[in-house]
Amino acid sequence: MKSQLILYVGNNCHLCSDAEELLKPLLAKKDLTLSKINICGDSILQDAYGLRIPVLKLPSGKEYNWPFNRSVLDNEIY
């Protein structure tokens, strides 16, 4: 089973689109899947991530706020 990255996003978020584009090569290289979770409409997620999106959550549970660096993530993800 592939490991999954989670990307917390919002509506019409250009930074979220940039983050997803940054992750695409990493997904293929590391054989990962990406699940995008839109925080809009969920007050708990909005409280947790509203001012930080996009936020990337690794399989280990570690979270990265934008801007995250692909080279750092490449080393963090097994």
Side-chain angles (χ1 to χ4, degrees), residues 2 5 8-10 14 17 20 22 25 34 42 46-47 55 59 65-66 73 75:
K2 291 184 178 184
L5 302 178
Y8 293 97
V9 300
H14 73 280
S17 298
E20 186 176 2
L22 177 84
L34 180 66
D42 185 318
Q46 285 178 344
D47 288 345
V55 175
N65 299 332
W66 184 257
L73 295 176
N75 291 328

Side-chain angles (χ1 to χ4, degrees), residues 8-11 13 15-16 39-40 42-55 65:
Y8 293 97
V9 300
N11 292 336
C13 172
L15 295 176
C16 300
I39 67 166
C40 296
D42 185 318
S43 61
I44 294 171
L45 291 178
Q46 285 178 344
D47 288 345
Y49 299 109
L51 297 176
R52 302 188 297 146
I53 61 168
V55 175
N65 299 332

Side-chain angles (χ1 to χ4, degrees), residues 18-45:
D18 292 348
E20 186 176 2
E21 286 301 312
L22 177 84
L23 292 170
K24 283 182 180 180
L26 184 65
L27 296 172
K29 180 180 177 184
K30 298 285 188 168
D31 197 29
L32 300 165
T33 61
L34 180 66
S35 177
K36 293 190 298 183
I37 298 177
N38 191 319
I39 67 166
C40 296
D42 185 318
S43 61
I44 294 171
L45 291 178

